Amino acid sequence: TASDGAGGDNFGQSVAMSDTHIVVGAFYDDNGRGSVYVYNTDGTGEQKITASDAAINDNFGYRVAINSTKIFVGATGNDDAGSVYVYNLDGTGEQKITASDGAAGDAFGISVAISDTHIVVGAYGDDDSGSFSGSAYVYNLDGTGEVKLTASDGASNDQFGYSVAVSDTKVVVGAWYDDDAGNDSGSAYVYNLDGTGEVKI
């Protein structure tokens, strides 16, 4: 539990771990400004991280991911469109990643996943193929090389990007409200890292 935990913080909304550390999101800490906490794997050594530009309802910590050297934090309400923050394990070195075409309500950062070489970020509120059709973005670990993914058959309220995963060669994007097998039956899409080779499951 957080050493400064309070009612409504929602500590544990998101969790992730590496071989050495645990990271826990508390997206509604401080009126929705949000925070994340970093611990050793035995729960000791608490460090609290907050965004340098935190604002009410940013939802910093709604999603978290971690590798051996970096922490990635989704803030779905930051600057209205959402963003992802990157930190060293000690909370230093803040870097902010935003979508090049981000717009209010996109909820960029609703999902975040990392591999050894890439970050993938979901934006389930993006509306390229209709309201809440959704999208996902792939980046190099330093935030460069943006590739945007959208479903070839995307439609309003599919919410493509609500969940994401990435390996060294593939990206998987969930669209939990897709309707192919019935209302809100859901689907998942698999891509190469460059956005090619779409396979729908």
Side-chain angles (χ1 to χ4, degrees):
T1 58
S3 60
D4 63 346
D9 282 357
N10 290 320
F11 179 91
Q13 161 68 24
S14 55
V15 294
M17 68 182 301
S18 68
D19 290 340
T20 59
H21 290 82
I22 302 164
V23 59
V24 182
F27 82 103
Y28 216 72
D29 185 24
D30 193 16
N31 293 315
R33 291 176 176 86
S35 60
V36 299
Y37 296 79
V38 186
Y39 301 90
N40 301 318
T41 53
D42 63 0
T44 63
E46 180 185 272
Q47 298 178 75
K48 184 176 182 176
I49 300 173
T50 57
S52 61
D53 62 347
I56 291 174
N57 293 326
D58 273 1
N59 295 337
F60 177 92
Y62 196 89
R63 288 287 180 263
V64 294
I66 187 172
N67 65 16
S68 60
T69 60
K70 299 286 185 179
I71 295 165
F72 304 83
V73 183
T76 57
N78 180 246
D79 295 335
D80 295 328
S83 60
V84 169
Y85 295 79
V86 186
Y87 299 91
N88 299 320
L89 296 180
D90 63 1
T92 62
E94 180 183 270
Q95 175 191 0
K96 187 174 175 177
I97 300 171
T98 58
S100 60
D101 63 346
D106 281 357
F108 179 92
I110 191 71
S111 54
V112 182
I114 58 173
S115 69
D116 292 337
T117 57
H118 289 82
I119 310 164
V120 58
V121 181
Y124 82 128
D126 192 15
D127 57 6
D128 285 12
S129 301
S131 179
F132 278 87
S133 53
S135 63
Y137 297 79
V138 184
Y139 300 90
N140 300 319
L141 288 180
D142 62 1
T144 63
E146 180 185 271
V147 174
K148 184 173 183 178
L149 308 177
T150 57
S152 61
D153 62 347
S156 292
N157 205 41
D158 280 356
Q159 299 191 19
F160 177 95
Y162 191 82
S163 58
V164 295
V166 62
S167 72
D168 291 340
T169 60
K170 298 288 184 179
V171 177
V172 183
V173 182
W176 67 329
Y177 280 178
D178 191 22
D179 299 326
D180 284 14
N183 189 47
D184 299 342
S185 53
S187 61
Y189 297 77
V190 185
Y191 300 89
N192 299 319
L193 294 174
D194 63 0
T196 63
E198 180 186 88
V199 175
K200 185 174 184 180
I201 301 171

